[in-house]
Amino acid sequence: MDALALVGPTASGKTAAALALAERLQALGGAEIISVDSALVYRGMDIGTAKPSRQELAAVPHHLIDTLDPLHSYSAAEFAKDASRLIREIRARGKTPLLVGGTLLYLKALRDGLNDIPPANPDIRAQIQQEAQHIGWPALHARLAQVDPQTAARLAPGDSQRIGRALEVWTATGQTLTSFHQSAKAQAPDWHIPVISLEPQDRTWLHQRIALRFEQMMAAGFLDEVHALRARGDLHPDLPSMRCVGYRQAWEGLDAGWNQADILERGIFATRQLAKRQITWLRSMPERLVVAADAPQATHSVVQAALGTQA
């Protein structure tokens, strides 16, 4: 085993389970956590990302957290490169690399590899953006479903960034994102990374946790955090960082003059939709070992399952 992945939808308890597992692995040489999260890489985005606390970060070495300014982007290919390097370094220290998070495209890139997808084409991107203004992103999502149903199935109809990118690749090359990913699989590093997935048996349990967590974020000053990001003057809502769930709804709400209750409601709804997409993606990974996130002893079950992979 080269590393162990602990994944699951947002608010499923991954952080607590990962810390408990890392503590248990101290007897086996120790562990270090590699974040598999497209939002945690950004500095200054702490409350809305449910970033681990200072105490949690100090309890076990963490990587790929607070590494980028929100002005910059971070791709799945960059993650795969960084995570591969970190896995080798952590293993060289005699420790177990724990890949923890819910950005499943990142995990796929690491395990399956990525092909040479062409870089952004500004002209094609501008054409797609212009068309979206006329007919809407749901209509372009429907078009994507005709040419690349597998990619469309894992994207929400309003996910303009990813829908636009998929259509851009199709327009530029005549090939789908799915075909690029499939051809990349044969070139992927031969990593052995078992996957443990925290998934709720009762979706209502997860919805309640999402609502509670968003309420706690608002109480902790999430809107103040977004105000501070907006006040910088160099950020805008089309950046990948500002399109993170929660931040996007807060930014839109502040622009539109929504009250806190409206931002809360829309943030909770968007987070639930994210969790739904994550669960759909997880179900496409039949090799994963599922642990019931809403079971009373979920953390203990994760630890036991992980120790079983060590045997």
Side-chain angles (χ1 to χ4, degrees):
M1 183 184 76
D2 298 300
L4 178 66
L6 175 58
V7 299
T10 184
S12 58
K14 296 184 294 295
T15 297
L19 291 172
L21 176 55
E23 181 179 0
R24 184 65 179 272
L25 289 174
Q26 289 302 318
L28 298 175
E32 298 186 25
I33 292 174
I34 302 171
S35 171
V36 188
D37 191 297
S38 61
L40 294 186
V41 296
Y42 293 114
R43 294 187 292 270
M45 296 172 58
D46 302 329
I47 299 173
T49 61
K51 193 169 289 180
S53 67
R54 290 183 179 180
Q55 293 79 6
E56 291 170 332
L57 291 172
V60 58
H62 284 69
H63 304 276
L64 301 186
I65 293 179
D66 286 339
T67 60
L68 280 184
D69 185 88
L71 189 61
H72 302 135
S73 61
Y74 189 64
S75 69
E78 289 172 305
F79 169 83
K81 180 180 178 180
D82 289 341
S84 295
R85 171 181 53 81
L86 287 165
I87 288 172
R88 295 185 181 98
E89 292 174 355
I90 294 168
R91 286 181 54 80
R93 291 191 283 271
K95 298 183 179 182
T96 300
L98 298 180
L99 295 150
V100 182
T103 303
L104 300 169
L105 177 61
Y106 282 10
L107 183 62
K108 176 180 175 59
L110 175 64
R111 297 175 78 219
D112 296 347
L114 287 174
N115 206 333
D116 294 327
I117 298 174
N121 184 309
D123 292 336
I124 296 176
R125 180 164 296 185
Q127 293 171 7
I128 293 171
Q129 291 281 351
Q130 186 175 21
E131 191 169 5
Q133 292 177 0
H134 289 292
I135 65 175
W137 286 107
L140 290 181
H141 181 266
R143 180 183 301 171
L144 178 63
Q146 295 177 343
V147 298
D148 188 356
Q150 289 176 271
T151 296
R154 61 178 175 81
L155 300 180
D159 192 344
S160 58
Q161 180 183 356
R162 293 180 175 83
I163 294 169
R165 176 58 175 153
L167 287 173
E168 179 188 328
V169 170
W170 166 256
T171 303
T173 69
Q175 299 181 59
T176 64
L177 273 180
T178 299
S179 68
F180 277 107
H181 293 320
Q182 288 174 342
S183 61
K185 193 167 186 178
Q187 306 171 24
D190 190 21
W191 291 122
H192 175 43
I193 305 176
V195 177
I196 298 175
S197 182
L198 272 168
E199 300 174 31
Q201 297 174 308
D202 180 2
R203 196 73 62 91
T204 301
W205 174 88
L206 186 63
H207 287 179
Q208 291 172 343
R209 281 177 61 93
I210 288 171
L212 176 60
R213 189 165 79 172
F214 214 98
E215 290 166 2
Q216 291 172 337
M217 288 176 180
M218 294 288 278
F222 174 49
L223 289 184
D224 291 336
E225 184 174 82
V226 178
H227 275 298
L229 292 165
R230 286 163 60 93
R232 286 181 34 161
D234 59 345
L235 302 178
H236 57 83
D238 291 328
L239 287 168
S241 60
M242 294 300 102
R243 295 185 66 81
C244 292
V245 167
Y247 290 89
R248 178 180 182 178
Q249 287 70 38
W251 192 296
E252 290 176 351
L254 293 172
D255 278 346
W258 300 343
N259 59 36
Q260 288 197 26
D262 288 335
I263 293 175
L264 174 66
E265 179 182 355
R266 294 178 189 234
I268 291 172
F269 177 79
T271 309
R272 287 176 175 174
Q273 292 300 107
L274 169 63
K276 181 180 179 180
R277 295 194 299 274
Q278 289 171 317
I279 290 172
T280 298
W281 192 312
L282 288 166
R283 288 175 176 169
S284 71
M285 302 168 59
E287 74 282 5
R288 76 197 190 285
L289 177 60
V290 177
V291 171
D294 46 348
Q297 301 295 324
T299 296
H300 175 75
S301 297
V302 167
V303 172
Q304 293 305 115
L307 293 178
T309 67
Q310 301 275 324

